[in-house]
Amino acid sequence: MFHSGSSVYPHFAFSDNIAQPANDLAPDPSDADSFNILPVDDINSAFPMGIPSAADEIWNLLSQDLLPDSHSLHASPNFLAELGISADPLFQLRGDSAAEYLQKDNQASPHSELLLDRPDFEGPSLATDGIPPDTQGTFALSMTNTMIKQMSASRPQDVAPLTAETLALCLNIFWTRVWPTYPMIHPSTFSLGTTSAPLLLSMIALGSLSLQNKEIRRQGEYLWKLVNRSIQNNWEQMIESRGPYDPCKGVQLIQTLALSLIYAATSADNSIVNAACISIASGFRWARLAGTLRPENTNRSLILQPGEELDEFGLNNRWRQWASLEDLKRTLTTIYLLDCCLALISDSPSYAKHLSNPVGNIWDDEATYLAKNPNQWRLAIEASRDKVPILSLLPAEHIYQYLVDRDTASDPDLARVPMMNRQTILAGLTALVLEAEQAGSTHSILGSAQLSSIDSALVRFHSIFLNHTTDPRSKSVLIGQWHHTAILLGYTISRRKGLSGSSLWSNPLGRHLLLHANAIRHNSESIHIGRAKVAHLVQIQTLYMAAVVYLDYVAAHHSIKGYSSLNAYSLNQETDWENLNSALGTCICHDNPSTLSVSPHLAAAINFLASDAIPTVSGLPLGSQDIDPLIMVLSGLGQIYPLARDSADKLRISAGSARE
């Protein structure tokens, strides 16, 4: 139960065992440096060489209403007074002509290596030409003084005015830490001057999460609320906006929605989560009205075909059109995933029709997406063409059919479906489980309205995708998400069978849930919190769910009697999931499996499921102390994500109660 009073989790048997934290409970103190989080008490210390010119440009564009959809943030032209930003024009920006853009695009990059894992990646260049250095030096001080004088009464009085350097810092953090985890804005074609004001503020709000400065985080939260109000009240105007290379109208509105939902899905504030649920319900309607869900718009092929030749101007246009389309597909794919994430942490249902998802696969090649100019893009396409599946334009709705199909002929092609699309497919299966839990049955293409059909689809998913995921970070995220879905399915099946408490944990189904939770515990060791990029938000839910399973088991086994090493099963060993799935499914859907023709390791796991053996960790019976590693990782994630901190606090109290 991520949010007290609003969750689908109270419907499950384990919810009453999770205590709520006291209001004055502070998270465990931790060294921010150990988690590679930027502690900023003095903003100027983040800019030892002086305020970057990007700060001037951001401030100037916002303060003069120069960005698209600026006025959508408020009914009056002076909406930025709410942020304390002056509306007095200070600088005249010089727009780049198409020829200048083309010339810059074709300049050789000083960095040829890939950027997603580089800690020094600074995102697109935002420097402004033609601003006098002496003006830059006095800019922040003069604007801060002007801000203080122009603060609007509608702005909460406990939120300090924003400064130019704060905006620039948060935007820089977005590009260096947040964007690599959620790459939905093409960095090489990104233009600050053509970015809508709500989208820019959403980027800044997300960047604020990675700073260990409470005031900046509160400013980021206020920015989020301002943007959310903007898109709810002014979507009819925003949806009409269309860039010169966009495949349809409303692209930046959908991008703003996606970034807003990421922020909300990591929040511990119920009001933000509930507002986001309203936004996502509206968002799918906006997407349909804008045409972003039409196959002729979304699934066009703009990749250069073998032997296709274009002149310099045509190649530049094709590259920019492809980048805009790729951003749209990545954005829509992320929204489908976030739809499920928000459904898990709120009272709201899953609003997306996952089994009718028309969005095709993204082009999952880092070098192609990060190409800095059209020529680099063309070369990257040729180098990556063999890595992209033949099914690259196949809508997600068709992949579900493959998961229930016994024909494995297409498995090699499916195995190359991109990571973002895999997560969305798995989120669709999770949404079916939630639907079954809420409605009592599953009405879908997945068989005779039976949960066993979802179980079979999960088995196929593991075989096709997890066994063919080579990137360690991607595999860590996907493994946790898969086990999380299997646990949700298991709890739903247990409710159908009337199993709870000791009757559940003495049943093979409950013991199967323990193995899934244990797999998440093992997987948590691969979550590198100290990396330059932030962890994926789905890892919060997977860690929390594993801890819930452990606590549910411990609550039903306050004391272990008759324990001996001869009657124990060590959870220190990892499970052979591929073969266990083949023998039993993900949640015991096959009866009385034979252990005669399996390996001793797999036979031991099957015997554990069917016996009364005591699960142990490091030689001791499984207890509340064994969720401490999960709490530790959640606390680390809590340095960035409020929801993770809140989840760790709840688990810490529950574990303490279980030890009394």
Side-chain angles (χ1 to χ4, degrees):
M1 185 160 52
F2 288 103
H3 296 275
S4 57
S6 63
S7 174
V8 296
Y9 285 161
H11 300 293
F12 290 105
F14 56 74
S15 61
D16 293 337
N17 297 327
I18 305 300
Q20 301 297 316
N23 292 332
D24 58 351
L25 180 66
D28 280 356
S30 59
D31 181 8
D33 290 337
S34 66
F35 295 109
N36 197 25
I37 309 300
L38 183 60
V40 180
D41 295 318
D42 177 13
I43 297 301
N44 290 321
S45 66
F47 300 106
M49 302 303 292
I51 301 169
S53 58
D56 297 353
E57 183 168 355
I58 296 169
W59 196 280
N60 192 30
L61 290 169
L62 288 172
S63 65
Q64 297 183 56
D65 294 357
L66 296 177
L67 294 179
D69 297 320
S70 288
H71 291 68
S72 71
L73 294 172
H74 196 274
S76 76
N78 298 320
F79 71 91
L80 284 172
E82 294 193 23
L83 304 181
I85 296 179
S86 171
D88 298 330
L90 296 177
F91 304 111
Q92 288 292 328
L93 296 184
R94 300 187 309 172
D96 289 317
S97 67
E100 289 173 326
Y101 268 124
L102 188 59
Q103 182 179 3
K104 287 192 291 187
D105 289 335
N106 285 285
Q107 291 175 349
S109 169
H111 301 287
S112 59
E113 67 270 22
L114 301 183
L115 303 174
L116 289 185
D117 276 319
R118 272 200 15 225
D120 61 333
F121 174 51
E122 297 179 355
S125 173
L126 303 178
T128 300
D129 297 328
I131 297 179
D134 57 339
T135 304
Q136 294 181 19
T138 59
F139 180 78
L141 180 60
S142 64
M143 285 305 300
T144 301
N145 291 334
T146 303
M147 268 192 346
I148 295 174
K149 296 176 183 178
Q150 297 191 357
M151 291 301 292
S152 168
S154 63
R155 182 185 61 79
Q157 295 302 310
D158 58 350
V159 178
L162 283 165
T163 61
E165 57 265 42
T166 299
L167 294 173
L169 177 62
C170 290
L171 186 59
N172 180 65
I173 292 297
F174 169 83
W175 283 113
T176 56
R177 301 213 63 212
V178 180
W179 176 86
T181 301
Y182 312 103
M184 297 178 293
I185 301 176
H186 194 250
S188 299
T189 57
F190 174 81
S191 172
L192 187 62
T194 59
T195 301
S196 73
L199 177 56
L200 180 62
L201 294 184
S202 293
M203 296 163 68
I204 292 171
L206 271 177
S208 71
L209 290 176
S210 293
L211 296 174
Q212 292 305 289
N213 182 298
K214 292 182 179 179
E215 191 57 49
I216 292 180
R217 287 192 170 201
R218 293 169 75 185
Q219 291 169 337
E221 181 176 318
Y222 182 65
L223 287 178
W224 184 90
K225 292 179 179 179
L226 184 67
V227 170
N228 185 67
R229 184 190 67 189
S230 161
I231 61 177
Q232 286 292 334
N233 294 340
N234 300 278
W235 66 268
E236 289 181 286
Q237 292 76 36
M238 296 173 66
I239 201 173
E240 296 301 324
S241 176
R242 180 174 182 177
Y245 304 103
D246 291 346
C248 56
K249 63 182 183 179
V251 171
Q252 290 202 33
L253 170 63
I254 302 303
Q255 287 179 309
T256 303
L257 173 66
L259 295 186
S260 177
L261 294 176
I262 291 174
Y263 186 100
T266 64
S267 174
D269 187 333
N270 282 336
S271 64
I272 290 179
V273 173
N274 292 334
C277 290
I278 295 174
S279 294
I280 199 169
S282 302
F284 284 107
R285 177 169 176 262
W286 302 338
R288 287 191 294 271
L289 291 174
T292 60
L293 295 179
R294 294 175 186 167
E296 62 268 26
N297 291 331
T298 306
N299 295 333
R300 289 191 300 157
S301 177
L302 294 174
I303 287 292
L304 294 176
Q305 299 303 309
E308 183 178 2
E309 296 292 339
L310 296 174
D311 60 22
E312 189 176 40
F313 184 78
L315 182 62
N316 178 67
N317 280 346
R318 179 73 71 85
W319 173 51
R320 292 180 180 277
Q321 290 171 349
W322 175 85
S324 179
L325 177 59
E326 184 71 8
D327 279 352
L328 176 60
K329 292 169 70 173
R330 289 168 180 246
T331 299
L332 291 171
T333 298
T334 301
I335 290 176
Y336 273 93
L337 172 64
L338 292 168
D339 168 72
C340 185
C341 291
L342 287 169
L344 284 166
I345 60 177
S346 70
D347 283 339
S348 61
S350 173
Y351 291 102
K353 296 179 180 179
H354 287 268
L355 298 185
S356 301
N357 181 354
V359 182
N361 297 315
I362 67 170
W363 188 272
D364 193 25
D365 178 68
E366 189 173 305
T368 305
Y369 189 62
L370 294 177
K372 288 186 170 296
N373 56 58
N375 287 326
Q376 287 187 10
W377 176 66
R378 177 177 54 81
L379 294 174
I381 290 173
E382 293 303 321
S384 64
R385 199 181 299 277
D386 292 340
K387 297 189 296 184
V388 176
I390 299 174
L391 306 174
S392 59
L393 297 180
L394 183 71
E397 58 184 330
H398 294 168
I399 297 180
Y400 290 105
Q401 190 62 54
Y402 281 105
L403 291 181
V404 297
D405 196 343
R406 298 296 181 183
D407 184 4
T408 60
S410 298
D411 287 7
D413 285 326
L414 289 172
R416 292 189 288 174
V417 166
M419 173 64 181
M420 292 181 72
N421 297 96
R422 297 182 192 191
Q423 284 190 279
T424 300
I425 295 299
L426 194 50
L429 296 178
T430 303
L432 290 176
V433 176
L434 297 180
E435 178 187 345
E437 173 63 24
Q438 294 166 351
S441 64
T442 302
H443 305 286
S444 70
I445 64 169
L446 297 178
S448 307
Q450 299 296 320
L451 291 173
S452 60
S453 299
I454 302 178
D455 184 274
S456 298
L458 283 172
V459 170
R460 286 272 290 149
F461 185 98
H462 189 285
S463 177
I464 296 171
F465 297 121
L466 279 175
N467 287 344
H468 298 89
T469 303
T470 57
D471 175 64
R473 189 172 188 268
S474 298
K475 190 166 188 175
S476 174
V477 173
L478 206 60
I479 284 175
Q481 189 181 353
W482 184 84
H483 286 289
H484 177 263
T485 304
I487 291 173
L488 289 174
L489 176 62
Y491 270 115
T492 301
I493 293 174
S494 71
R495 285 175 55 81
R496 295 267 181 103
K497 294 184 175 182
L499 300 174
S500 63
S502 59
S503 66
L504 172 61
W505 302 109
S506 61
N507 187 280
L509 174 58
R511 302 168 82 78
H512 210 149
L513 295 181
L514 278 177
L515 292 184
H516 284 296
N518 191 56
I520 294 175
R521 180 178 68 88
H522 282 289
N523 187 57
S524 67
E525 298 174 0
S526 64
I527 299 177
H528 301 294
I529 302 174
R531 292 181 63 151
K533 64 174 87 172
V534 299
H536 201 287
L537 62 88
V538 301
Q539 293 175 307
I540 304 172
Q541 296 178 336
T542 60
L543 292 166
Y544 186 81
M545 179 59 81
V548 163
V549 172
Y550 276 6
L551 286 174
D552 203 6
Y553 170 83
V554 171
H557 296 78
H558 292 293
S559 61
I560 301 296
K561 298 180 180 179
Y563 165 70
S564 71
S565 58
L566 298 177
N567 189 36
Y569 176 79
S570 175
L571 295 177
N572 289 78
Q573 57 186 318
E574 296 189 23
T575 303
D576 179 359
W577 284 102
E578 179 66 17
N579 288 315
L580 185 63
N581 288 340
S582 298
L584 298 174
T586 63
C587 293
I588 306 291
C589 289
H590 310 296
D591 297 325
N592 301 320
S594 172
T595 61
L596 296 179
S597 59
V598 299
S599 67
H601 178 69
L602 179 59
I606 294 176
N607 287 333
F608 165 71
L609 297 177
S611 69
D612 59 354
I614 304 300
T616 63
V617 176
S618 300
L620 297 175
L622 179 65
S624 58
Q625 72 278 357
D626 294 308
I627 74 167
D628 288 346
L630 300 173
I631 293 176
M632 183 179 298
V633 178
L634 281 169
S635 296
L637 296 178
Q639 298 292 324
I640 299 174
Y641 297 139
L643 177 59
R645 182 181 64 247
D646 187 64
S647 300
D649 291 343
K650 293 176 183 178
L651 293 172
R652 192 175 290 114
I653 293 176
S654 297
S657 300
R659 291 166 186 162
E660 295 177 356

